[in-house]
């Protein structure tokens, strides 16, 4: 049975089996069998090909990894764990977003600590000017989920006020090329901060502000699924978000 996903990916990137063979050091006929017969390569070749095609290894070969291998790959995606968001060194946020070459994504309710940083606003503007796609997804201040989060944290209407404040602070970015701002009406289980394949995931804890909750620094690894899971969550919410002009 042919591997149509692999075939389509090769066509999309303008690559031939001979190109893959040259880069992996295998026989071109072997690569042909990966495509036309659905043969599953050894793991080192799956990793190399997935990296070349910028795709998840599990997408190209869903049956290629054992449960243990998938778990090992996902564990390798964990770079650092911070016990609290306030424990993340301040300049680390600038390093994270400053390294982005393709995509910056922020998925929060207010994320006021970023919006209130004029240096961060300038960084986002500079990245957008350089062609990086910048997407900022804030909570809808009139949402019942935002209201409930305010109650849970004991700050009531202040949660909505923080979002409106963040929107005002992001005004210098609004209308710029490559910058998109949206409002979402969802329960926010984690705040997500993305720069290309690196994510900071700030977990949420009932009754505690996000600044006091842990942060996971994740980096995408071929065959891992943690980063992919969070990115898919972001895209689902973004698809239904209301854009802000």
């Amino acid at each position: 049975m042919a591997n149509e996903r692999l075939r389509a990916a090769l066509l999309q990137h303008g690559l031939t089996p001979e190109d893959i063979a040259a880069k992996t050091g295998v026989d071109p006929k072997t690569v042909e069998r990966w495509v036309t017969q659905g043969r599953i390569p050894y793991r080192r070749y799956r990793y190399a090909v997935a990296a070349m095609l910028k795709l998840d290894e599990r997408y190209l070969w869903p049956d290629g990894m054992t449960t243990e291998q998938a778990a090992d790959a996902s564990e390798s995606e964990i770079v650092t764990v911070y016990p609290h968001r306030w424990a993340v060194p301040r300049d680390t946020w600038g390093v994270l977003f400053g390294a982005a070459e393709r995509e910056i994504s922020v998925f929060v309710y207010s994320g006021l600590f970023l919006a209130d940083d004029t240096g961060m606003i300038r960084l986002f503007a500079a990245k957008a000017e350089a062609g990086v796609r910048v997407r900022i997804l804030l909570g809808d201040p009139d949402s019942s989920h935002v209201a409930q989060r305010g109650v849970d944290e004991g700050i009531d209407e202040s949660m909505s006020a923080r979002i409106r404040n963040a929107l005002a602070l992001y005004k210098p970015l609004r209308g710029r090329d490559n910058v998109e701002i949206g409002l979402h009406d969802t329960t926010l289980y984690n705040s997500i901060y993305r720069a290309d394949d690196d994510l900071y995931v700030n977990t949420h804890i009932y009754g505690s502000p996000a600044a006091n909750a842990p942060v996971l620094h994740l980096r995408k690894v071929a065959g891992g699924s943690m980063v992919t899971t969070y990115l898919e969550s972001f895209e689902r919410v973004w698809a239904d978000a209301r854009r802000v002009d």
Side-chain angles (χ1 to χ4, degrees):
M1 188 177 190
N3 188 331
E4 297 299 341
R5 291 182 177 180
L6 179 57
R7 190 198 305 275
L10 292 178
L11 289 172
Q12 182 180 359
H13 286 80
L15 296 173
T16 66
E18 289 74 19
D19 296 326
I20 299 298
K23 293 180 179 181
T24 57
V26 302
D27 189 283
K29 292 182 179 179
T30 299
V31 181
E32 285 281 3
R33 287 192 284 270
W34 296 347
V35 177
T36 61
Q37 299 177 22
R39 298 284 183 86
I40 299 177
Y42 290 121
R43 189 181 182 192
R44 65 181 180 275
Y45 298 135
R46 297 199 305 269
Y47 180 92
V49 173
M52 276 187 271
L53 298 176
K54 295 181 172 58
L55 289 171
D56 193 304
E57 177 185 340
R58 294 175 306 132
Y59 170 78
L60 294 172
W61 295 284
D63 300 323
M65 297 184 70
T66 65
T67 302
E68 291 77 12
Q69 288 173 334
D72 288 343
S74 294
E75 184 177 348
S76 298
E77 292 186 309
I78 303 174
V79 179
T80 309
V81 177
Y82 298 96
H84 314 282
R85 196 187 71 201
W86 57 258
V88 180
R90 185 65 190 176
D91 61 352
T92 300
W93 296 98
V95 171
L96 171 72
F97 294 121
E101 297 180 350
R102 305 184 312 276
E103 172 94 19
I104 288 174
S105 302
V106 175
F107 179 25
V108 293
Y109 271 154
S110 71
L112 194 55
F113 76 102
L114 288 183
D116 199 29
D117 186 334
T118 55
M120 194 63 64
I121 300 296
R122 288 195 295 268
L123 175 58
F124 286 173
K127 284 295 179 179
E129 182 71 21
V132 175
R133 186 185 190 189
V134 178
R135 290 188 288 176
I136 300 171
L137 193 49
L138 304 175
D140 185 333
D142 297 319
S143 162
S144 61
H145 296 101
V146 168
Q148 185 60 53
R149 181 64 186 177
V151 171
D152 293 344
E153 288 190 14
I155 61 174
D156 300 324
E157 292 82 5
S158 294
M159 180 62 73
S160 295
R162 288 181 180 182
I163 296 171
R164 291 189 172 90
N165 194 6
L167 277 170
L169 292 167
Y170 280 128
K171 189 174 181 179
L173 297 178
R174 291 160 67 173
R176 286 179 175 266
D177 290 341
N178 299 318
V179 176
E180 301 166 90
I181 298 176
L183 299 178
H184 69 91
D185 180 17
T186 61
T187 300
L188 189 65
Y189 299 103
N190 305 275
S191 295
I192 300 174
Y193 308 87
R194 175 192 182 185
D196 295 341
D197 293 333
D198 278 80
L199 265 64
Y200 279 17
V201 178
N202 186 188
T203 64
H204 286 191
I205 299 172
Y206 178 79
S208 180
N212 202 43
V215 171
L216 285 69
H217 177 189
L218 307 177
R219 180 173 298 139
K220 186 173 177 58
V221 170
S225 61
M226 292 180 67
V227 170
T228 299
T229 299
Y230 284 115
L231 294 183
E232 289 174 349
S233 172
F234 174 88
E235 295 298 342
R236 283 195 297 270
V237 178
W238 180 258
D240 293 331
R242 175 166 59 89
R243 303 297 186 266
V244 176
D245 296 326

